[in-house]
Amino acid sequence: MKTIGIIGAMREEVMPLLDFFKKYEEVKIGGNSFYTTTYKNYNIIIAYSKIGKIHAALTCSIMALHFCTDCIIFTGVAGGLSSDLKVGDIILASSLCQYDVDISAFGHPLGFIPESELYVHTDSNLNEIAKKAAMKQNIKLKYGIIASGDSFISNAQKKQWIIDKFDACAVEMEGASIAVVSSLLNIPFCIIRAISDSADDNADISFDEFLADSAKRSAAFIISMLDEMQ
């Protein structure tokens, strides 16, 4: 039976999933809780990693190495960078990068780590499943680069800097670490985010107001992806 790992950064991002599955068991590892259940012909492992790249990397590693997940899906919210992204829109990451990595003093591009890649690409098969799920629900799925870093972006100048330097259309705090861990362990992964704010000077207000609804939209979309899987 295939095992699917689903991760969110905050409790608000995974509670809609737990509410949907209703029956699950809790396993505590590494200071975190992992919730195990089944759905159709799949074992499902759900966890909220806590905010930030380090916590996300630890959770993703446990998913892969302890629970032996066959694929990993990250769900949650993000700040929109592109002008055509509005609150509630769902974005599927084509690739991910780390905007807060800077060893340019040694001649490397911003975001680049030696023996790694600037952009880590998501799994094409999972992305196709997401696109099919979106078509069935008549959802206009956005597709593009998501930038990750350990800061909540609520500044118009910083927002524009990320757009200019990385050509990103959304920003958040975990996706790139999921991408790096999954890629290095050869586990297919995809990143689904619902837009909760516009990463500008009003982002903190927008985020608090729309977090719960955007998280529910992202979680509901994950369920529709599970329904599309063979």
Side-chain angles (χ1 to χ4, degrees):
M1 186 182 292
K2 183 176 287 190
T3 299
I4 299 172
I6 304 173
I7 305 173
M10 295 179 289
R11 190 180 296 274
E12 291 90 341
E13 293 172 331
V14 302
M15 282 308 300
L17 291 168
L18 297 179
D19 290 342
F20 174 82
F21 291 116
K22 293 183 174 61
K23 294 182 179 180
Y24 47 83
E25 294 183 2
E26 182 179 3
V27 179
K28 289 187 174 292
I29 304 174
N32 208 348
S33 293
F34 295 79
Y35 304 93
T36 66
T37 187
T38 58
Y39 184 66
K40 297 189 173 180
N41 294 320
Y42 302 110
N43 292 316
I44 306 292
I45 315 296
I46 301 169
Y48 79 95
S49 60
K50 305 182 187 72
I51 293 170
K53 291 191 293 179
I54 292 176
H55 287 121
L58 173 62
T59 300
C60 186
S61 298
I62 293 171
M63 284 271 195
L65 300 175
H66 180 83
F67 292 101
C68 300
T69 47
D70 294 288
C71 66
I72 290 176
I73 302 172
F74 198 94
T75 176
V77 299
L81 300 178
S82 297
S83 58
D84 63 341
L85 279 172
K86 308 301 181 187
V87 170
D89 285 349
I90 296 178
I91 179 169
L92 172 67
S94 59
S95 58
L96 296 105
C97 61
Q98 300 182 68
Y99 70 78
D100 58 352
V101 170
D102 185 356
I103 52 172
S104 57
F106 300 98
H108 296 296
L110 289 171
F112 179 77
I113 295 174
E115 300 183 40
S116 183
E117 297 178 356
L118 176 56
Y119 296 97
V120 183
H121 300 287
T122 51
D123 181 71
S124 58
N125 291 329
L126 289 173
N127 289 346
E128 285 304 312
I129 290 170
K131 291 174 183 178
K132 288 180 182 178
M135 286 183 63
K136 284 193 174 180
Q137 298 180 70
N138 199 28
I139 293 173
K140 190 176 180 181
L141 191 66
K142 308 291 184 177
Y143 187 66
I145 298 168
I146 295 180
S148 304
D150 283 319
S151 300
F152 179 79
I153 302 301
S154 57
N155 177 278
Q157 287 184 314
K158 185 69 172 182
K159 170 182 176 176
Q160 190 60 48
W161 180 86
I162 295 172
I163 294 171
D164 293 341
K165 297 297 183 182
F166 299 97
D167 196 28
C169 57
V171 63
E172 35 87 304
M173 299 177 65
E174 299 84 22
S177 59
I178 300 294
V180 170
V181 171
S182 299
S183 179
L184 291 174
L185 295 175
N186 295 313
I187 297 174
F189 73 97
C190 72
I191 309 292
I192 304 288
R193 294 285 196 170
I195 300 301
S196 60
D197 61 87
S198 296
D200 54 17
D201 298 319
N202 296 313
D204 54 339
I205 299 171
S206 174
F207 181 84
D208 288 338
E209 183 176 355
F210 296 109
L211 168 61
D213 184 63
S214 294
K216 287 177 181 177
R217 285 177 60 84
S218 184
F221 189 78
I222 298 302
I223 299 301
S224 69
M225 281 186 65
L226 296 179
D227 289 335
E228 285 296 317
M229 291 183 177
Q230 301 298 323

